[in-house]
Amino acid sequence: MQLHRDRDRFEAAGVRLVLIGQGTPAQARHFAETLNVDLPIFVDARREAYRAAGTKVGTVGELLGPRSVLRGVQRAVTDRVYPGRTVGHPAQLGGVLVVRPDDSIAYAHLADDASDNPPNDEVLAAARAAAQR
Amino acid sequence: MSLLGTARRRQSTHAPADARELGAAVVRDLDDREVRLRELWRDRPAVLVFLRHYG
């Protein structure tokens, strides 16, 4: 999770950056306060939005594969974010969508495994393009 | 279901052709109020980051 550091850049681009998580509002609030995340968070307890967004549920290999473990270690070192107790469906994978007011999808990157996150600059470029149209 | 609810077979992601179904989904904000997702991009584009899980 690095996007919250770029919040101002997304705001300047004229787009709204929001997080969608699982669990309950109280769990999401705890997450936000613990990691000092200053972004709007919405919870999707039934994972209705996750399904509509086209995200997938990972296999054991996709969650625990060497690629994921290595990147997880790397992130823990660089970001000082340590895997904690899991809240939500443990195998649910995430993703990023950029949606325009006319309901068109400007950009989609849906995670193929647990370590598959798009570069922030790629998302920002898509967001800027979406706001200019 | 299998171990921790993991998928038995490798799944594919399916980016939607448009956000109409997604926009109809109802989520909750941190104050436990219901929000229809479409409200988030009604006036300007929105970047939706779906988290894997907390922690």
Side-chain angles (χ1 to χ4, degrees):
Chain A
M1 250 303 300
Q2 297 158 356
L3 277 171
H4 60 279
R5 293 182 194 153
D6 287 332
R7 177 186 182 158
D8 293 347
R9 294 164 73 199
F10 281 92
E11 288 292 327
V15 301
R16 178 176 285 123
L17 176 60
V18 302
L19 306 181
I20 297 174
Q22 303 183 61
T24 65
Q27 287 166 331
R29 188 184 293 278
H30 177 73
F31 160 81
E33 288 171 357
T34 305
L35 292 184
N36 205 18
V37 175
D38 181 26
L39 283 174
I41 304 182
F42 298 90
V43 299
D44 178 26
R46 287 172 298 175
R47 292 187 293 131
E48 181 188 357
Y50 278 82
R51 277 186 284 274
T55 61
K56 73 176 197 176
V57 171
T59 61
V60 172
E62 287 166 336
L63 295 175
L64 303 177
R67 202 168 149 236
S68 300
V69 172
L70 272 179
R71 289 219 198 151
V73 169
Q74 198 174 29
R75 269 184 37 199
V77 172
T78 55
D79 283 0
R80 294 185 171 277
V81 174
Y82 298 92
R85 195 169 63 86
T86 299
V87 171
H89 188 301
Q92 173 68 57
L93 297 178
V96 178
L97 292 182
V98 179
V99 185
R100 299 188 189 96
D102 66 357
D103 281 344
S104 61
I105 307 279
Y107 172 87
H109 182 111
L110 302 173
D112 200 45
D113 64 42
S115 65
D116 182 18
N117 299 306
N120 284 7
D121 286 347
E122 182 179 302
V123 180
L124 186 60
R128 283 188 178 129
Q132 281 165 9
R133 202 179 76 159
Chain B
M1 292 292 268
S2 57
L3 178 68
L4 295 175
T6 52
R8 290 180 190 281
R9 305 184 68 161
R10 186 175 164 80
Q11 299 181 355
S12 299
T13 56
H14 299 280
D18 61 59
R20 282 180 295 183
E21 185 190 343
L22 182 64
V26 175
V27 294
R28 290 183 177 274
D29 67 15
L30 294 191
D31 295 318
D32 210 19
R33 287 182 297 234
E34 289 193 344
V35 176
R36 198 166 291 277
L37 271 186
R38 182 167 293 112
E39 294 302 311
L40 301 179
W41 58 81
R42 202 162 44 90
D43 56 341
R44 53 184 165 134
V47 178
L48 309 178
V49 179
F50 288 85
L51 302 172
R52 211 182 121 212
H53 54 64
Y54 309 122

